[in-house]
């Protein structure tokens, strides 16, 4: 009975659930996951991300905008370049857990 009540408390915070599901939606798209994986190695500009992940500069910029708008990456200007990095260490942990989990059966 107590466990059921505790589960209900977690489940019925719909606002939190929606935010958590959105994070997984963002990472579920392969090109965005490639970007996140590349950024686990450190800050990078669009040019270097295209080199690491493939695609076009415009496509990369679009995906970075989506990731930034959803709080997964952040950016800073360095001269004429915009440098991108992961918004926080939680993203790294989530990706690491996902990579470990893929080998579990």
């Amino acid at each position: 009975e107590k466990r059921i009540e505790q589960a209900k408390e977690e489940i019925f915070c719909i606002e939190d659930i929606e935010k958590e599901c959105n994070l997984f939606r963002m990472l579920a798209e392969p090109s965005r996951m490639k970007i996140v994986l590349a950024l686990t190695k450190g800050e990078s500009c669009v040019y270097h991300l295209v080199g690491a992940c493939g695609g076009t500069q415009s496509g990369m910029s679009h995906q970075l905008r989506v990731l930034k708008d959803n709080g997964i990456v952040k950016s800073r200007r360095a001269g004429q370049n915009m440098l991108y990095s992961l918004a926080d260490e939680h993203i790294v942990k989530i990706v690491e857990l996902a990579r470990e989990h893929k080998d579990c059966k």
Side-chain angles (χ1 to χ4, degrees), residues 35-36 39 42-45 49 64-77 82-89 91:
I35 294 167
V36 170
L39 290 175
E43 187 174 65
S44 202
C45 68
L49 287 168
L64 285 164
R65 170 61 58 198
V66 170
L67 291 169
K68 186 176 177 184
D69 288 348
N70 285 278
I72 296 170
V73 302
K74 60 185 178 181
S75 64
R76 70 176 183 90
R77 185 161 294 284
M82 189 66 75
L83 297 177
Y84 295 88
S85 60
L86 295 176
D88 60 58
E89 284 299 309
I91 302 301

Side-chain angles (χ1 to χ4, degrees), residues 8-74:
K8 282 182 181 180
E9 288 175 20
E10 286 292 318
I11 292 169
F12 288 109
C13 186
I14 192 68
E15 196 172 293
D16 287 347
I17 289 174
E18 287 175 355
K19 288 178 183 177
E20 292 155 0
C21 288
N22 188 57
L23 170 65
F24 289 117
R25 268 193 297 278
M26 292 299 105
L27 297 176
E29 204 284 317
S31 64
R32 290 194 289 261
M33 182 59 118
K34 288 179 188 178
I35 294 167
V36 170
L37 288 169
L39 290 175
T40 63
K41 305 304 178 201
E43 187 174 65
S44 202
C45 68
V46 172
Y47 176 79
H48 291 128
L49 287 168
V50 169
C53 303
T56 64
Q57 188 169 351
S58 64
M60 180 62 65
S61 294
H62 171 74
Q63 295 300 346
L64 285 164
R65 170 61 58 198
V66 170
L67 291 169
K68 186 176 177 184
D69 288 348
N70 285 278
I72 296 170
V73 302
K74 60 185 178 181

